[in-house]
Amino acid sequence: MRSLLFLFASAATAKVMDSLSSVPKGWTEIRQASPDDSVTLRLALPQQHAAALEQAVLEISTPGHPNYGLHMSRDQVRAYTAPTEQSVSSVVNWLAGSGVKSSVNNDWITFTTNVKTANDLLNANFAWYQYEKGGSPKLRTLSYSVPDELAGSIDLIQPTTRFGQLGAKRSTIFEMQVLEPEEEDAIKADAAVQAADCNPSRITPDCLKSLYNIKYTASPDGNLVAFASYLEEYARYSDLQSFETQYVSQAAGQNFSVQLVNGGLNDQTSNDDSGEANLDVQYVLAVSNPVPILEYSTGGRGPLEPTHDEPGPSSNEPYLEFLTYLLDQEDSALPQTLSTSYGEEEQSVPADYALRVCNLFMQLGARGVSVLFSSGDSGPGDSCIRESDQAPYFQPSFPAGCPYVTSVGATYNVEPEQGVSFSSGGFSSLHAQPAWQADAVNAYLGSIGNTYSAYFNKSNRGFPDVAAQGSRFIVIDKGRSALLSGTSASSPVFAGVVALLNAARKSQGQPPLGFLNPWLYNNSAALIDITSGYGSGCSGNSAFRNGARWNATAGWDPVTGLGTPDFGKLLAAAAPGVENA
C-alpha cells in the first residue's frame, strides 16, 4: 500500500490550502531556508459541532429564550468544538510518518520540525523574507498543500503563507497629547472645582459617571473585569495610584493583577509605550471600582497580510495564543467582562484566521464572558482600497466586525453628545448580518437608499454596536498627565459599565450577561440615541472627492451603533430591583 507521503508527491493528490501569487508588497526573499532550520506550526482541525454550538450560544444569549443565561462549562464547550477521533488520528499519524511529534489540544495540533520535513509534508518552499523597513526576517512559504485524504481533516496551518513581523504599535489610540506642567495644573484645579461637570476639553472619571448616570457601587466579591495588553505595553502600578489620588479618590489603594500569556511580561520600567495599557486600566477602574481588575499581558504578534494602510512590519495581535489560553482556564478563573482596545482592517487578516478567531470569541460568550472591542479610528476606512482588485471599497475592522464581540464606537461633546469623526464603523466583508441586529440595521439601510452601496456589503454584519465618549481623556502615563483620544478610550468605559451590570446580576443570584449583543439590541431603549456627528475617512482616495462619511442618525448607525449608556435604564433591564445608588 502506498504511503501518504508517496501519494502526496503527486500534485494531483494534494489540495492547495493557501497560495500567494507573488511575494507581498514590501517584502523580499533574502535566502532559502536551511533544511535544518526549525519551524513551529499550528494546525486547526474542523470542529465536529460548530453549527450546533453557534445555535446554542444564540439561545443562551437571547432574552426570553428558555435557555437564556445557561452558560456552558469549559468541558461542555470543548465537547462541541472537538474534532472527530478520525481527524485527530489521521493528522497525528501523517505527521508521525515523517518522524514529527505533535501535541493535541482539542481542535488544535501544534508541532515543531525542520524546514526539510515541513517542505516535504506541505509541498512548500520555506524561505527567509525581509520587510523593506527592517525588523527580523520571517520564515514563510508562498503556498502549502495537504494530501487530498487529509483535506477534510485540516482547516488551516499557520504561520505558513502569513507574512507578519514585529513592528510599531498599532492600537486604536487616535491621538495622545502629553501635557505641559502648567496645563496639567490647570486641569487638576478645574476638575476639583467642577468634579461632575463635563468639559469637552478634557474627560474625567467624574464626568463619565455624571454623563452616563452611574451611581451604583458594586461588591468586589466574586466579580472580575479584565483587559488585554499586547505589543509590549504594560499598565503601570504607580500611574494607577497617581490617577486614583488625583481623579478617583474613592478607589484609592485599589490595584490590578496581571497574568502573563505566551511569553508576555509585566515590565514596570519599560521605555516602550504604555499609554494604551494605562488608559485601559485607569478607565475600567474609573467606571467599575471596586470590581477587581485583571490585565492579560500577551507576548508575540499575529499574522498580517500587508495592505496599503498596514504594509508592515506586522502590528497584528496574537489573538489565537491569547484566546486558546483563556479558553483553557477553569470556569472560576474567567472574568465576566473583557475589554480589548486593539484592531486592524479586516482585509489585512487572512480570512480563515479571522473566522477561527471569531469562533473563539463565540466560545468565550458561551462560557459567560462579555467581550468588548474598540471599533477603530478611521471612519469608513483610510485608503479605502480593496487589496484583491485595487477597487475603491470601505474597510471594516477586525475583530470589531466579528458578530460575537460587542464593538464600541466613540462620541465627543456633551450637549449634545455627538459621533466623533474618527469613530470606525461599517459592514463586515466576512460575516453575514445576524438576526438579532436585522431590524435595527435594515432601518438604517432603508434610510440611506443606495448611498455608497458599491462600497460595502449591506447583507453583512454592521458595526459598532454601541458607543461611549472617546475624545481627550485625562490619563497618567509614566508620571505625566496626557490627553488621549480614540475608540481605545470608549471600550474600557463601556466595559466598566458592563462589569457593574454583571456585578448587579450576581448580587441577585443571576448569571452574567455573557455574549451581549442580542440583549443590547433587545434593550436599545436603555441606550442614549446619538443623532448628530459623523465618522469620516477615505480622504486620500480619488473615488471619494471629499472623502466619505457615515452620519449618526436616529436608531442604529455605523458611527455610534445603538448609542451610549444610560446606566439607570441598563441596570433596570439587567437586574430589575437593584437600585442605582
Side-chain angles (χ1 to χ4, degrees), residues 74-306:
R74 179 181 64 181
D75 291 342
Q76 286 174 321
V77 171
R78 286 172 71 90
Y80 277 99
T81 61
T84 63
E85 291 183 6
Q86 181 179 357
S87 289
V88 176
S89 60
S90 296
V91 173
V92 169
N93 290 338
W94 169 57
L95 294 172
S98 294
V100 177
K101 295 180 179 180
S102 57
S103 172
V104 180
N105 182 5
N106 205 39
D107 52 330
W108 290 95
I109 293 179
T110 303
F111 61 96
T112 299
T113 187
N114 58 41
V115 162
K116 180 183 185 307
T117 303
N119 281 341
D120 290 342
L121 279 170
L122 304 177
N123 197 22
N125 182 25
F126 279 95
W128 289 99
Y129 294 87
Q130 178 68 56
Y131 182 63
E132 63 186 3
K133 293 185 179 179
S136 60
K138 288 295 175 184
L139 184 61
R140 296 292 184 264
T141 177
L142 296 184
S143 67
Y144 76 99
S145 307
V146 299
D148 274 345
E149 300 92 314
L150 293 178
S153 297
I154 298 172
D155 279 350
L156 62 89
I157 304 174
Q158 65 104 10
T160 47
T161 52
R162 321 304 190 211
F163 280 71
Q165 179 164 329
L166 294 177
K169 177 174 76 74
R170 170 72 172 182
S171 76
T172 47
I173 282 183
F174 178 70
E175 180 182 48
M176 179 173 179
Q177 174 191 346
V178 177
L179 299 179
E180 295 299 325
E182 58 272 19
E183 296 175 304
E184 185 176 354
D185 291 341
I187 282 184
K188 289 178 186 176
D190 187 42
V193 173
Q194 306 179 62
D197 293 334
C198 284
N199 181 338
S201 68
R202 46 87 185 128
I203 296 298
T204 64
D206 284 336
C207 160
L208 291 171
K209 287 201 165 187
S210 173
L211 181 64
Y212 296 140
N213 187 28
I214 302 170
K215 302 172 185 175
Y216 176 67
T217 300
S219 167
D221 297 337
N223 295 305
L224 183 64
V225 57
F227 66 98
S229 292
Y230 302 100
L231 306 177
E232 296 83 53
E233 284 233 8
Y234 316 105
R236 293 174 179 254
Y237 303 131
S238 59
D239 287 336
L240 181 62
Q241 291 167 6
S242 296
F243 183 77
E244 290 169 351
T245 299
Q246 295 179 38
Y247 300 106
V248 201
S249 58
Q250 69 272 23
Q254 181 176 346
N255 209 338
F256 61 95
S257 54
V258 181
Q259 284 187 19
L260 307 181
V261 183
N262 193 46
L265 302 174
N266 180 22
D267 186 352
Q268 292 292 305
T269 60
S270 170
N271 291 322
D272 292 337
D273 289 332
S274 53
E276 175 63 66
N278 278 328
L279 172 65
D280 284 337
V281 71
Q282 289 170 25
Y283 278 88
V284 166
L285 174 132
V287 174
S288 68
N289 70 91
V291 174
I293 302 172
L294 172 63
E295 177 188 27
Y296 293 106
S297 177
T298 302
R301 312 211 176 189
L304 180 74
E305 289 185 350

Side-chain angles (χ1 to χ4, degrees), residues 244-478:
E244 290 169 351
T245 299
Q246 295 179 38
Y247 300 106
V248 201
S249 58
Q250 69 272 23
Q254 181 176 346
N255 209 338
F256 61 95
S257 54
V258 181
Q259 284 187 19
L260 307 181
V261 183
N262 193 46
L265 302 174
N266 180 22
D267 186 352
Q268 292 292 305
T269 60
S270 170
N271 291 322
D272 292 337
D273 289 332
S274 53
E276 175 63 66
N278 278 328
L279 172 65
D280 284 337
V281 71
Q282 289 170 25
Y283 278 88
V284 166
L285 174 132
V287 174
S288 68
N289 70 91
V291 174
I293 302 172
L294 172 63
E295 177 188 27
Y296 293 106
S297 177
T298 302
R301 312 211 176 189
L304 180 74
E305 289 185 350
T307 71
H308 279 70
D309 295 320
E310 298 191 30
S314 173
S315 54
N316 292 46
E317 290 69 49
Y319 296 116
L320 281 182
E321 291 86 345
F322 170 54
L323 293 173
T324 52
Y325 166 87
L326 204 55
L327 287 165
D328 277 342
Q329 302 304 300
E330 297 285 347
D331 299 328
S332 60
L334 289 178
Q336 294 82 40
T337 312
L338 173 65
S339 176
T340 308
S341 293
Y342 292 80
E344 54 268 315
E345 52 176 303
E346 192 177 68
Q347 67 171 340
S348 78
V349 181
D352 54 2
Y353 177 90
L355 293 170
R356 196 69 178 210
V357 167
C358 190
N359 174 275
L360 295 171
F361 288 127
M362 178 178 69
Q363 293 179 48
L364 281 175
R367 293 180 64 184
V369 180
S370 301
V371 181
L372 297 94
F373 265 85
S374 51
S375 71
D377 293 335
S378 56
D382 284 325
S383 67
C384 297
I385 295 173
R386 185 167 55 198
E387 292 299 322
S388 61
D389 59 4
Q390 302 300 297
Y393 206 75
F394 289 162
Q395 294 166 293
S397 302
F398 168 85
C402 167
Y404 291 98
V405 307
T406 297
S407 175
V408 187
T411 60
Y412 77 125
N413 282 344
V414 293
E415 292 180 349
E417 192 172 10
Q418 300 174 282
V420 69
S421 61
F422 57 73
S423 183
S424 282
F427 298 82
S428 171
S429 295
L430 295 175
H431 303 282
Q433 182 190 82
W436 39 260
Q437 72 166 189
D439 289 346
V441 172
N442 289 338
Y444 173 79
L445 291 170
S447 74
I448 66 170
N450 292 323
T451 305
Y452 298 136
S453 60
Y455 307 118
F456 68 95
N457 187 336
K458 68 179 182 180
S459 299
N460 281 2
R461 188 280 206 261
F463 75 101
D465 301 297
V466 292
Q469 287 281 319
S471 182
R472 299 180 69 80
F473 276 47
I474 186 75
V475 173
I476 306 296
D477 184 51
K478 295 188 175 72

